[in-house]
Amino acid sequence: MDSFLFLAFTCLAAACCLVPLSKLSGLGSVIGYLLAGVLIGPSVIGLVTEPDTLLHFSEFGVVMMLFLIGLELQPAALWRLRHKLVGLGGLQVGLTTLFVTGIAVVFGLVWPTAWVIGMALAMSSTAVALQVLQDRGLMKTSTGEAGFSVLLFQDVIVIAMIALLPLIALAGGVEAAHISTDGHGPKGSAHGPQGPWLGAAILGVFAGMILGGRVLLRPVFRVLARAGVREIFTAMALLLVVGAALLMHWLGLSAALGSFIAGVVLADSDYRHQLERDIEPFKSLLLGLFFMSVGMSLNISALMQSPIMIGLLVFGLVGLKFLVLLGVGRIFKLDFKSNLLFATVLAQAGEFGFVLFQFALVEGLVTTELQSRLNAIIALSMALTPLLLILHDKFILPRFNVAVKTGELPVNNGHKVLVLGFGRVGQVASRLLHTQDIETTLLDHDGDHIEFVKQFGNRVFYGDAADIDLLRMAGADEADVILIAIDHREKATQVARDIRTHFPQARIIARARNRTHMFDLMAAEVDFAERETIRSALAMGAQALEYLGYSPKQAQSLADEFLKYDFQLIEDTWQDRDDMDILVAKAAAGRDFIKQTLSADRARKAEDQGSDGPETT
């Protein structure tokens, strides 16, 4: 029953059934994987009886994720984060370990056991937190950098924690349990250099990885690219990750750390994007298996013996870590909203806790029963993260939607144009107005971005465009034009409605994400809306026509006519936006109408000019 094929079929079937349902219900994919693991694990249906085997295999998904993160983080960027790595990460781990250890001692545990529990529960989940940050596109924001710094510090410090366990056991007079770990525990991993040679070996391996990545791998990738054998390029990408993991295992270090360094070394390689595409599918599947194996490892019967106590411990741990992270973020001057999300994303315990408790069991620092309960607390805290994020997004954040917490307070300069959002769209629009000496008042909600654009002479005020009082402070009552260049679709629509209500004198120009967003903005009674990609897409289409033999004038004329008729189609269909059948039918008819109209226009113009098709050279 536990054959490989049956195991694969069971895991895939459970994931395909529960993950989409969890995602559609707003709980996120992680909850879906955890529930799938609980369902097929030994505590419920029992289709999988040895979840530890799957856990050791699926942990490679975390290794691959760190490799991909390293690919996107060049050495210069990593050096720039050094203060956050040591400061944010060190302070969070130190304070959490101290508090949890103290609480464990109060509960009657001896200090060696309490210390181990404090260290293990101080770890946050790299898999969960990075997945959330990536899904939300936050990796390059202040929240993402702070979160990544803490997680990377934890990945490094866990090596020292594992090395400390025998010393803690010796100091506490605890005898090792001599439990076989089948090569996964400390007694199975001491294959590399020991004693005074270990430091030299670590330096040598890291230097070799950096030198090899810079000098040897690029010619190898070039040869593979010329050969044109796609599957071998994928095999080479996997070989890199597996090789880095093996080197770290040989040294007794974290495999995730090795894969991260390998990724950083290749971050400025010409083949970085191809490596990302090849590794991504394996990473996603293995991460899903990792979460499923965590769900399988939950001992439901043990939880049912004291569900209230376990629940209180889970919420207590998450609450404590949240407060510690909030305080640390405050010390490092994260703005309030970024700090709130930073603390929410990292408040759970992490997968390295499972590893530390397994080593602690071998050293006799925890009992099997205590390890089972602690693993359940870790897994439940990980499962709680998506629910906390929903609570953060829908209930907590709106209550703290205050005006200014950082940056310069908006003032009314009497400018007739107010630009909300100073990203790539808002910048271009304001630059055009500036060419005609039309001054604009600029607002943006990203403090880091504001500091960046200041270097180019832009004065951008910090604030949330959804705050009506803030808009009044910026001069919205007197503005002739308010340009909404916000990237968030729902928020942009709501801001447009509020502006129409509170500042009826202003003409509203809005940035639309796509056609359906155009419909929403038209319903909000904006004066003009433009899809952010429509003109660039038409420019590319016009260039393609030129390459196919059309003259620049013909290509541009066709693009202009297409845009005119497409706007007309939107005007004709937006009132039926809630009836999908009518919308689809009208869209199909509209496409045919545009094609026929443009063909008729082209034929007429060709007849007038004495030409019957594209110009040729």
Side-chain angles (χ1 to χ4, degrees), residues 208-218 265-266 269:
M209 290 174 66
I210 294 172
L211 182 64
R214 296 281 181 178
V215 178
L216 300 178
L217 284 177
R218 293 184 183 185
V265 169
L266 295 171
S269 167

Side-chain angles (χ1 to χ4, degrees), residues 306-541:
S306 53
I308 296 177
M309 177 60 70
I310 294 292
L312 289 175
L313 289 174
V314 170
F315 282 103
L317 172 65
V318 171
L320 174 64
K321 293 190 72 172
F322 179 85
L323 292 175
V324 169
L325 287 161
L326 208 61
V328 171
R330 181 68 175 170
I331 293 172
F332 279 79
K333 294 181 172 56
L334 287 178
D335 68 84
F336 182 76
K337 291 182 181 179
S338 298
N339 197 16
L340 198 62
L341 182 58
F342 162 70
T344 304
V345 170
L346 297 179
Q348 77 290 121
E351 54 273 0
F352 282 122
F354 298 124
V355 178
L356 279 167
F357 286 138
Q358 181 62 32
F359 278 82
L361 180 67
V362 172
E363 297 295 337
L365 289 165
V366 297
T367 64
T368 303
E369 181 183 359
L370 180 58
Q371 182 203 26
S372 177
R373 289 175 180 253
L374 291 169
N375 283 347
I377 291 171
I378 293 175
L380 288 173
S381 73
M382 292 168 68
L384 195 60
T385 301
L387 299 176
L388 291 176
L389 287 168
I390 294 173
L391 184 66
H392 166 273
D393 294 340
K394 296 188 179 300
F395 300 103
I396 297 177
L397 191 58
R399 292 181 177 274
F400 292 97
N401 191 20
V402 293
V404 177
K405 291 295 179 184
T406 187
E408 189 177 358
L409 189 69
V411 294
N412 183 359
N413 290 319
H415 298 156
K416 296 302 182 183
V417 179
L418 188 59
V419 178
L420 310 181
F422 199 62
R424 60 185 188 274
V425 175
Q427 289 178 39
V428 173
S430 61
R431 284 169 58 195
L432 175 61
L433 294 171
H434 183 69
T435 63
Q436 301 303 306
D437 294 324
I438 299 173
E439 297 299 329
T440 56
T441 299
L442 310 171
L443 274 80
D444 198 275
H445 71 284
D446 189 333
D448 291 340
H449 180 62
I450 291 173
E451 293 301 319
F452 175 74
V453 297
K454 274 185 181 179
Q455 302 174 71
F456 301 93
N458 300 294
R459 187 187 185 192
V460 184
F461 298 110
Y462 180 90
D464 189 342
D467 191 319
I468 297 301
D469 292 332
L470 183 75
L471 295 182
R472 284 200 173 93
M473 293 171 61
D477 281 317
E478 304 168 13
D480 291 336
V481 176
I482 298 179
L483 195 153
I484 303 173
I486 302 170
D487 189 36
H488 193 281
R489 171 178 168 170
E490 288 77 15
K491 185 173 183 178
T493 306
Q494 186 57 50
V495 168
R497 292 194 188 101
D498 292 342
I499 291 174
R500 176 56 66 216
T501 300
H502 295 278
F503 313 111
Q505 89 290 345
R507 292 292 188 95
I508 303 174
I509 300 173
R511 163 195 187 180
R513 295 280 293 181
N514 49 35
R515 184 179 294 266
T516 54
H517 191 203
M518 281 279 287
F519 293 155
D520 294 339
L521 292 170
M522 292 170 72
E525 300 181 3
V526 302
D527 296 282
F528 178 82
E530 178 72 285
R531 286 158 290 171
E532 58 187 23
T533 56
I534 183 67
R535 293 186 189 272
S536 58
L538 287 175
M540 290 189 288

Side-chain angles (χ1 to χ4, degrees), residues 11-36 288 292:
C11 291
L12 291 172
C16 289
C17 291
L18 291 177
V19 174
L21 290 175
S22 178
K23 186 77 172 178
L24 290 172
S25 65
L27 296 177
S29 58
V30 174
I31 288 288
Y33 283 119
L34 288 169
L35 290 175
M292 289 181 69

Side-chain angles (χ1 to χ4, degrees), residues 115-391:
W115 192 3
V116 170
I117 293 173
M119 291 191 302
L121 297 184
M123 301 290 104
S124 300
S125 173
T126 301
V128 171
L130 285 184
Q131 188 76 20
V132 171
L133 293 173
Q134 286 182 319
D135 287 347
R136 296 187 171 216
L138 297 173
M139 286 304 299
K140 295 184 179 179
T141 65
S142 56
T143 302
E145 287 188 353
F148 177 73
S149 298
V150 170
L151 293 168
L152 183 56
F153 179 85
Q154 292 176 357
D155 288 345
V156 175
I157 201 64
V158 73
I159 302 163
M161 290 179 175
I162 292 172
L164 274 175
L165 292 180
L167 299 178
I168 295 173
L170 183 63
V174 179
E175 293 186 4
H178 302 295
I179 298 174
S180 173
T181 58
D182 300 324
H184 296 294
K187 302 194 182 304
S189 59
H191 303 302
Q194 303 294 317
W197 295 103
L198 180 59
I202 291 174
L203 291 176
V205 167
F206 284 175
M209 290 174 66
I210 294 172
L211 182 64
R214 296 281 181 178
V215 178
L216 300 178
L217 284 177
R218 293 184 183 185
V220 172
F221 282 129
R222 193 177 301 117
V223 171
L224 292 177
R226 287 177 180 173
V229 186
R230 176 65 185 274
E231 63 272 17
I232 297 301
F233 199 98
T234 303
M236 184 64 188
L238 292 171
L239 178 65
L240 279 175
V241 181
V242 174
L246 280 175
L247 277 174
M248 294 301 107
H249 179 71
W250 178 68
L251 293 172
L253 304 181
S254 165
L257 176 63
S259 65
F260 173 75
I261 293 173
V264 171
V265 169
L266 295 171
D268 56 358
S269 167
D270 296 335
Y271 304 97
R272 173 169 65 93
H273 297 296
Q274 185 63 52
L275 287 169
E276 288 177 343
R277 286 192 292 270
D278 289 341
I279 292 292
E280 180 66 32
F282 297 97
K283 183 267 293 186
S284 299
L285 277 174
L286 286 173
L287 267 184
L289 281 177
F290 171 79
F291 292 126
M292 289 181 69
S293 62
V294 170
M296 294 175 198
S297 65
L298 286 176
N299 189 336
I300 303 299
S301 59
L303 292 179
M304 290 300 101
Q305 292 175 6
S306 53
I308 296 177
M309 177 60 70
I310 294 292
L312 289 175
L313 289 174
V314 170
F315 282 103
L317 172 65
V318 171
L320 174 64
K321 293 190 72 172
F322 179 85
L323 292 175
V324 169
L325 287 161
L326 208 61
V328 171
R330 181 68 175 170
I331 293 172
F332 279 79
K333 294 181 172 56
L334 287 178
D335 68 84
F336 182 76
K337 291 182 181 179
S338 298
N339 197 16
L340 198 62
L341 182 58
F342 162 70
T344 304
V345 170
L346 297 179
Q348 77 290 121
E351 54 273 0
F352 282 122
F354 298 124
V355 178
L356 279 167
F357 286 138
Q358 181 62 32
F359 278 82
L361 180 67
V362 172
E363 297 295 337
L365 289 165
V366 297
T367 64
T368 303
E369 181 183 359
L370 180 58
Q371 182 203 26
S372 177
R373 289 175 180 253
L374 291 169
N375 283 347
I377 291 171
I378 293 175
L380 288 173
S381 73
M382 292 168 68
L384 195 60
T385 301
L387 299 176
L388 291 176
L389 287 168
I390 294 173
L391 184 66

